[in-house]
Amino acid sequence: YFPLRNAPIAITIQTKTPDGNVEEAMEQLSAWATAYFNRLRALLRPIAASEPVSIVLPIISVSGADWNLKFARDCYYSIDIIDSATIGSTTTIVGCYKILYALRLLFDWITTTFRFW
């Protein structure tokens, strides 16, 4: 698919309702990360597609009002999802500003590190 080949997705945001199943959310994130890294492997190394991709990708998981940052790392035989930190919560104005600040930092990462990579 042409747009994804020339402008791949840098960050995914996965949302769930407050009473959503956390295990199901992690399964969905894992499936997305696996498919995404497999595609990046094929695009970067068509001949040696089994080699892991060298970049760690941020993932945002939203459950109700709470926003959490995770990272996906490509390994030889698995994809690791690493919990990082709570970004913020939309229940308070301060939490909203924290989320906005984190999104701006991630945007800077996209326009520098990810774009160069």
Side-chain angles (χ1 to χ4, degrees):
Y1 183 62
F2 185 75
L4 290 179
R5 182 175 39 207
N6 293 321
I9 298 166
I11 299 173
T12 187
I13 299 177
Q14 188 269 345
T15 61
K16 286 287 179 197
T17 60
D19 57 345
N21 186 337
V22 176
E23 288 180 20
E24 181 181 312
M26 286 305 296
E27 289 172 5
Q28 291 172 345
L29 285 173
S30 297
W32 172 83
T34 301
Y36 192 68
F37 278 122
N38 284 340
R39 183 65 182 143
L40 287 177
R41 285 177 182 179
L43 288 172
L44 295 172
R45 299 178 197 89
I47 296 171
S50 64
E51 292 290 317
V53 175
S54 63
I55 196 161
V56 176
L57 297 174
I59 298 172
I60 297 174
S61 175
V62 181
S63 178
D66 299 324
W67 290 54
N68 297 294
L69 178 63
K70 301 176 187 303
F71 293 97
R73 180 178 60 188
D74 190 13
C75 299
Y76 275 97
Y77 301 107
S78 66
I79 305 296
D80 292 341
I81 305 292
I82 305 160
D83 283 330
S84 179
T86 299
I87 296 174
S89 175
T90 56
T91 57
T92 66
I93 192 72
V94 173
C96 291
Y97 279 118
K98 287 180 179 180
I99 293 167
L100 181 60
Y101 179 72
L103 292 174
R104 287 180 176 163
L105 289 175
L106 290 170
F107 179 76
D108 288 342
W109 175 83
I110 291 168
T111 57
T112 56
T113 303
F114 185 76
R115 180 172 287 176
F116 176 75
W117 177 79

